[in-house]
């Protein structure tokens, strides 16, 4: 499986000539979902789900797996191509095996209602949690680690990395981190996380 980092929380996965894209949102590139065979969306927030980009991918032939709040905005226009999934579901998308873990978005503030959020474990090895610190009940080789968000602090990110205990963590949810702050996050996660920690610049790829 080849992973290409896109901006913020979006990644492209390629295997056997097929492409799967996770969370092409408004902070990611305009063409983040272009050419995708399958698209997975963790939740409805615009930095993870850009409706125009996903509709363009569907119109070009992609299929989508996501939660109900996103599916209801797409399914009428693309019958049979948008599938609603939730915690505990398993399916195959563009040749990738996917398991769904998690139910709720992390707490932003107690005064704000929590929305649904699901994470995707791909081919039993790579986990994208969306906007939550979900620990799947399955070993994780590569964790896509949300390193910075309005709902988190670095100590929580470190503890999450320790609890999941992957072999390797790759940063996502990082569009709001400035270049000045990058070394701080890298140092804490590298020294305290207990796993190999890496960062890919947008457009950079790695073979998993």
């Amino acid at each position: 499986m080849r992973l290409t980092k896109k901006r913020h929380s979006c990644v492209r996965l390629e295997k056997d000539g097929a492409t799967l894209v996770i969370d092409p949102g408004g902070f990611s590139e305009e063409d983040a979902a272009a050419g995708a065979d399958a698209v997975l969306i963790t939740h409805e927030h615009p930095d993870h789900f850009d409706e125009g980009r996903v509709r363009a991918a569907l119109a070009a032939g992609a299929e989508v797996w996501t939660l109900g709040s996103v599916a209801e905005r797409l399914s009428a226009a693309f019958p049979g191509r948008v599938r609603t999934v939730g915690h505990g579901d398993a399916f195959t998308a563009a040749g990738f095996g996917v398991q769904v873990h998690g139910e709720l978005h992390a707490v932003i503030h107690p005064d704000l209602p929590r929305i649904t959020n699901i994470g995707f474990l791909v081919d039993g090895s790579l986990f994208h949690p969306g906007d939550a610190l979900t620990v799947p009940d399955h070993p994780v080789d590569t964790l896509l680690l949300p390193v910075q968000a309005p709902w988190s602090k670095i100590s929580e990110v470190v503890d999450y990395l320790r609890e999941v205990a992957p072999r390797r963590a790759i940063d996502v949810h990082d569009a709001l981190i400035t270049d000045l702050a990058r070394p701080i996050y890298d140092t804490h996660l590298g020294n305290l996380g207990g796993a190999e920690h890496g960062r890919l610049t947008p457009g950079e790829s790695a073979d998993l």
Side-chain angles (χ1 to χ4, degrees):
M1 177 171 24
R2 186 166 181 80
L3 178 148
T4 300
K5 173 76 166 66
K6 308 303 284 184
R7 285 199 298 265
H8 198 50
S9 209
C10 181
V11 296
R12 291 175 68 97
L13 304 176
E14 297 172 281
K15 183 184 72 171
D16 299 332
T19 300
L20 182 151
V21 174
I22 306 177
D23 278 4
F27 291 173
S28 57
E29 296 83 348
E30 287 286 342
D31 63 350
D37 298 291
V39 178
L40 310 182
I41 302 163
T42 62
H43 66 291
E44 66 211 57
H45 283 163
D47 57 324
H48 295 256
F49 167 53
D50 182 278
E51 186 168 345
R53 294 172 197 182
V54 176
R55 283 180 174 270
L58 282 161
E63 296 182 282
V64 170
W65 283 260
T66 186
L67 39 67
S69 58
V70 172
E72 67 186 12
R73 293 164 60 175
L74 302 169
S75 55
F78 301 95
R81 306 259 301 288
V82 181
R83 296 168 175 83
T84 301
V85 293
H87 177 70
D89 288 338
F91 56 91
T92 299
F96 294 84
V98 183
Q99 299 173 13
V100 182
H101 296 267
E103 298 179 273
L104 290 173
H105 192 287
V107 174
I108 300 172
H109 188 277
D111 288 354
L112 298 175
R114 294 175 73 181
I115 63 169
T116 306
N117 177 95
I118 54 178
F120 298 107
L121 180 68
V122 180
D123 279 352
S125 64
L126 177 141
F127 186 59
H128 191 312
D131 274 7
L133 301 180
T134 301
V135 179
D137 57 358
H138 187 288
V140 173
D141 181 74
T142 301
L143 175 65
L144 299 178
L145 182 67
V147 293
Q148 191 276 339
W151 44 266
S152 73
K153 56 185 180 181
I154 191 63
S155 63
E156 296 169 336
V157 176
V158 168
D159 287 346
Y160 177 58
L161 181 53
R162 289 176 172 181
E163 189 172 4
V164 177
R167 180 177 65 85
R168 158 180 54 200
I170 296 174
D171 291 353
V172 293
H173 214 283
D174 56 357
L176 300 183
I177 302 178
T178 69
D179 289 340
L180 288 173
R182 285 284 188 183
I184 299 172
Y185 283 84
D186 291 344
T187 297
H188 288 321
L189 293 169
N191 290 343
L192 301 173
E196 176 188 332
H197 171 249
R199 174 159 52 87
L200 300 176
T201 58
E204 189 176 2
S205 300
D207 291 318
L208 308 182

